[in-house]
Amino acid sequence: FTRRLADLSGAGLPLDRVLQVVGEQTENQQLIGICASVLEDVRGGMPVSEALAKFPRLFNDVFTQTLRSGEASGQFPEVAGRLADFQEKEVARRSQIVSAMVYPSILAATAVFVVAFLIGFVVPKMSGVFKDLGDDLPITTRFLLTSSDFLSTKWPLAIGMIVGSVVLIRTWLATESGRTTFDTIILKVPVMGPVVQKATVSRFARVLGTLVYGGVSILDALQIAGLSSGNRVYQLACKKVEQEVREGRAIADALRDARCFPPVLTHMVAIGEETGDLPRMLGRVSDSMDFEVDTGMRRLVSFLEPAIMLSMGVFVGFVVLSVLIPIFMAGNLVK
């Protein structure tokens, strides 16, 4: 939608004609209805950005604010093209993450299935063999039998506990302190933390560069870029940066004092402020961070795969030993 909006408006078509053509070309039923509504508003004299802002679930603040600035500056095609570039990079990043996590997710699902099968079906069938040993059973075997008995006889309670835990975690994450604490912990997790941090900074820089290129004021751009970062730690840091810039400080100095932005970002922002080419500097930072995120994602996946296999192997080994040791003990008693 955005790419066609940029291309057709850049070809010189009036915006109402652009919206009509885009609505006819799209195969998405929701977008067809939105284009019809926006077209009616635009023909009634409303700016395109304001008409699109009526559908915030599809067109967020980054989108509408940037288009609004493009309309005001007379650079609508260029700004829409920049938005399309931004969205395409976001889609590529999301697809890359999904593709990278497919195999680890399959391994994790297999591990969960193996654990559930062993505890729910295999161990209960062997529990009768161990009853005669009574208290002579090793503690690992008693723990395994207790867990298996609980899951096989009280599985509704187990499911209720899992659902309750999920609900409690989601409720906690919906709070201000909970989300901040969670995002802080994520940034400190080994291997994963640096990848999340670089991906967050890359998104922040790309959104900020897109907004500044579109002519959005630096204060509004900082606020929207912080909200778009997706991490509460950076959202709070951007609020502080915005306040300091409002008081007259340089952007680079305010970002440096926030202590969560890497030196490459602050140095490039400083150069951008000096040369008056901040959007291009921010784009370079984002491209550099994207490369590092790609490397980090490959490293993270290469770490997750053996970690899941090792965890599954340790559990299976635990079950096997818990079953074999009592069998050896029973054999000795018979002798």
Side-chain angles (χ1 to χ4, degrees):
F1 173 87
T2 311
R3 178 60 67 190
R4 288 173 178 171
L5 198 68
D7 292 343
L8 293 173
S9 60
L13 271 69
L15 288 179
D16 61 336
R17 177 62 177 162
V18 169
L19 290 168
Q20 182 180 354
V21 173
V22 171
E24 292 172 353
Q25 289 182 339
T26 185
E27 298 178 357
N28 187 291
Q29 293 299 318
Q30 186 179 10
L31 274 178
I32 291 174
I34 289 174
C35 285
S37 175
V38 172
L39 178 60
E40 183 179 352
D41 290 337
V42 170
R43 285 177 173 171
M46 185 181 295
V48 175
S49 57
E50 189 175 338
L52 291 173
K54 292 182 177 181
F55 306 94
R57 293 186 61 183
L58 279 181
F59 305 102
N60 57 21
D61 286 342
V62 175
F63 195 97
T64 54
Q65 288 269 21
T66 306
L67 281 188
R68 183 175 295 116
S69 300
E71 289 171 325
S73 63
Q75 293 183 315
F76 186 90
E78 293 83 357
V79 171
R82 185 71 174 248
L83 269 176
D85 293 339
F86 167 74
Q87 291 178 320
E88 287 166 358
K89 288 182 181 295
E90 287 287 293
V91 171
R93 166 68 59 224
R94 195 176 299 115
S95 299
Q96 181 191 27
I97 293 174
V98 171
S99 300
M101 296 306 295
V102 166
Y103 184 56
S105 299
I106 294 175
L107 282 180
T110 304
V112 171
F113 174 78
V114 169
V115 169
F117 178 76
L118 288 175
I119 293 181
F121 297 96
V122 177
V123 175
K125 293 183 180 299
M126 304 185 67
S127 60
V129 179
F130 307 132
K131 286 183 179 179
D132 294 336
L133 293 176
D135 294 336
D136 293 333
L137 285 173
I139 187 172
T140 55
T141 306
R142 291 202 299 269
F143 173 78
L144 186 64
L145 291 175
T146 302
S147 301
S148 177
D149 181 66
F150 175 79
L151 291 177
S152 59
T153 59
K154 300 179 180 179
W155 59 268
L157 178 60
I159 294 177
M161 292 172 63
I162 294 173
V163 173
S165 299
V166 172
V167 171
L168 285 175
I169 292 173
R170 288 178 65 90
T171 303
W172 177 66
L173 290 176
T175 63
E176 185 84 10
S177 59
R179 188 67 197 183
T180 302
T181 302
F182 177 79
D183 287 345
T184 302
I185 293 173
I186 286 295
L187 291 174
K188 294 181 179 180
V189 173
V191 184
M192 180 185 294
V195 177
V196 174
Q197 182 184 30
K198 291 171 183 176
T200 303
V201 171
S202 173
R203 180 174 176 80
F204 167 81
R206 197 170 297 284
V207 171
L208 185 61
T210 300
L211 292 169
V212 174
Y213 177 85
V216 178
S217 69
I218 189 60
L219 296 177
D220 290 338
L222 285 169
Q223 181 182 19
I224 297 172
L227 293 173
S228 301
S229 66
N231 187 286
R232 188 63 185 155
V233 175
Y234 283 87
Q235 290 175 6
L236 294 174
C238 286
K239 285 185 178 180
K240 183 179 178 182
V241 171
E242 178 196 350
Q243 183 60 37
E244 292 184 0
V245 173
R246 189 185 302 274
E247 294 172 357
R249 290 199 69 187
I251 304 171
D253 294 338
L255 290 172
R256 188 179 298 110
D257 290 346
R259 298 184 180 279
C260 60
F261 295 98
V264 63
L265 175 66
T266 57
H267 287 306
M268 293 296 277
V269 168
I271 295 173
E273 288 182 290
E274 293 174 5
T275 61
D277 197 8
L278 185 59
R280 189 163 67 92
M281 295 297 105
L282 288 168
R284 287 188 176 184
V285 172
S286 184
D287 291 339
S288 174
M289 287 291 172
D290 283 344
F291 175 78
E292 295 186 25
V293 170
D294 293 342
T295 304
M297 281 297 299
R298 287 193 292 270
R299 187 180 297 115
L300 178 61
V301 171
S302 64
F303 171 80
L304 283 176
E305 293 173 4
I308 294 172
M309 294 293 292
L310 180 62
S311 300
M312 186 167 59
V314 168
F315 180 80
V316 172
F318 170 79
V319 173
V320 171
L321 287 177
S322 299
V323 171
L324 289 180
I325 291 175
I327 292 176
F328 291 144
M329 293 174 60
N332 292 332
L333 289 174
V334 170
K335 292 178 181 179

